[in-house]
Amino acid sequence: MEYDVNKKEIILNRELSKLDKFVLDFIKILEKHIDYVIISGYVSILLGRTRATEDIDVFIEKISLEKFSEFYEDAKEQGFECINAEKTEEVFSYLKEGLAIRFSKENLPVPNFEIKFPKREIDKETFNDFIIVILPEGKLKISSLERQVAFKKYYLKSEKDIEDASHIEELFKDKLDYNKINKFKNIIKNIKT
Amino acid sequence: MKNKQIQNKKVQEKRKVFKKVFMKPGNNNQEDRLNFIKFWAEYIKTHSDEDWSKQQNIVIDSQIE
């Protein structure tokens, strides 16, 4: 695994798991229509953390119903479904309300993608603070490692999240920007839960 | 392919430099889990992506039909 901090790029020649293939299949459809960044648990798993997950969290850019419909039709054609509702308008209304919607392979609710619009300013900034992971069969956009560590360690804080953060810190300790992590830590302190 | 060859060479060089690392048992479950994370991160750094990901996939894929 090679992390080029300046290029904001990780080259990862890993053997793909079934989960990675599921992610790449879905992202190939999503990115045709909507800008995205993968956040949270799957980022750590992609980078080697030995645990499973039922969902992959993704921020998508704010889009119109029309643009969302194009994506949703494409996803359905490729065998995915939304497990929250069937009608496009209803699914989109959840997104607009600030709720997360989930997509999975038809009739197979696990694993699934949890997709949402970023609400807070710090979350919106994720679209300018990402890394590209280059895999043997495609590319994925993930949130910066500093953002990942800070949110897991200082906001989510469950045992699982602390372990996810530790994995990234151990793996990239000589490349992480701890000033940036502390900046996030201070912003997170003021987030109302 | 070229990237893979470069990475494998780097990993082999690292292995020559690093001594085999052993995991320190923790005094409780939480500490033991964190010690394993440190041990596993070191393993990832000193082995090829193909090597560690094959092992990791056993855990991940066991959840998916």
Side-chain angles (χ1 to χ4, degrees):
Chain A
M1 188 177 337
E2 292 294 321
Y3 176 27
D4 188 324
V5 178
N6 296 323
K7 279 190 183 170
K8 296 180 180 177
E9 201 175 87
I10 293 175
I11 296 171
L12 182 50
N13 289 309
R14 61 167 300 149
E15 185 182 88
L16 298 182
S17 66
K18 287 179 189 169
L19 185 66
D20 297 326
K21 287 174 187 166
F22 171 78
V23 172
L24 284 165
D25 281 351
F26 186 79
I27 291 297
K28 273 173 196 162
I29 304 164
L30 182 69
E31 70 185 356
K32 276 196 278 176
H33 307 277
I34 310 170
D35 194 15
Y36 77 95
V37 181
I38 298 172
I39 55 166
S40 207
Y42 177 69
V43 172
S44 301
I45 295 169
L46 177 68
L47 302 176
R49 170 100 153 92
T50 51
R51 74 166 176 91
T53 187
E54 65 184 19
D55 56 19
I56 297 102
D57 299 288
V58 179
F59 279 143
I60 57 168
E61 63 171 332
K62 286 208 171 169
I63 40 154
S64 63
L65 170 62
E66 194 187 9
K67 211 170 172 190
F68 178 76
S69 303
E70 287 167 12
F71 153 70
Y72 191 31
E73 285 309 309
D74 200 357
K76 282 197 279 192
E77 274 173 30
Q78 305 292 326
F80 288 91
E81 67 178 356
C82 177
I83 63 176
N84 304 101
E86 196 172 355
K87 284 186 181 163
T88 311
E89 291 78 8
E90 199 179 347
V91 176
F92 188 70
S93 72
Y94 288 137
L95 270 179
K96 271 184 78 177
E97 281 172 46
L99 303 174
I101 54 168
R102 289 176 188 250
F103 287 87
S104 71
K105 281 279 184 187
E106 208 175 346
N107 300 319
L108 296 168
V110 170
N112 58 65
F113 271 86
E114 192 182 321
I115 287 175
K116 58 194 163 198
F117 289 151
K119 276 191 283 189
R120 298 170 302 218
E121 205 47 47
I122 190 171
D123 295 330
K124 289 176 190 165
E125 288 165 7
T126 311
F127 287 95
N128 299 314
D129 186 31
F130 61 86
I131 293 172
I132 302 282
V133 179
I134 302 170
L135 293 158
E137 293 174 31
K139 293 179 183 180
L140 295 172
K141 267 171 91 171
I142 61 168
S143 69
S144 75
L145 301 180
E146 289 83 1
R147 188 176 285 269
Q148 178 77 2
V149 168
F151 269 87
K152 289 266 171 192
K153 215 168 157 181
Y154 305 116
Y155 184 70
L156 296 166
K157 297 192 277 193
S158 76
E159 200 174 320
K160 177 189 74 181
D161 294 307
I162 301 283
E163 289 174 4
D164 283 352
S166 297
H167 173 77
I168 287 175
E169 284 190 282
E170 285 296 326
L171 206 51
F172 300 102
K173 53 184 152 194
D174 51 341
K175 293 194 170 174
L176 288 175
D177 177 349
Y178 276 89
N179 287 330
K180 191 172 167 183
I181 292 176
N182 285 329
K183 229 183 252 178
F184 284 131
K185 185 184 171 184
N186 289 329
I187 295 170
I188 287 165
K189 262 193 219 162
N190 297 317
I191 292 177
K192 286 175 194 157
T193 49
Chain B
M1 193 64 190
K2 201 180 168 190
N3 282 334
K4 205 171 175 177
Q5 282 171 346
I6 293 167
Q7 201 215 0
N8 283 342
K9 203 178 164 191
K10 281 183 184 170
V11 166
Q12 277 166 8
E13 282 165 6
K14 270 187 194 172
R15 272 192 192 162
K16 280 178 201 165
V17 176
F18 291 111
K19 275 197 295 183
K20 185 175 170 72
V21 176
F22 294 97
M23 183 194 147
K24 190 182 169 203
N27 290 314
N28 54 51
N29 186 47
Q30 196 185 7
E31 191 182 284
D32 202 60
R33 289 180 65 86
L34 286 171
N35 286 355
F36 177 74
I37 285 167
K38 285 180 191 170
F39 170 81
W40 179 242
E42 196 54 39
Y43 188 95
I44 289 175
K45 285 193 262 187
T46 51
H47 293 74
S48 71
D49 290 346
E50 201 180 354
D51 181 321
W52 63 257
S53 62
K54 266 185 189 165
Q55 297 175 60
Q56 186 211 21
N57 286 353
I58 296 169
V59 178
I60 301 173
D61 289 342
S62 65
Q63 193 200 22
I64 301 171
E65 281 294 307

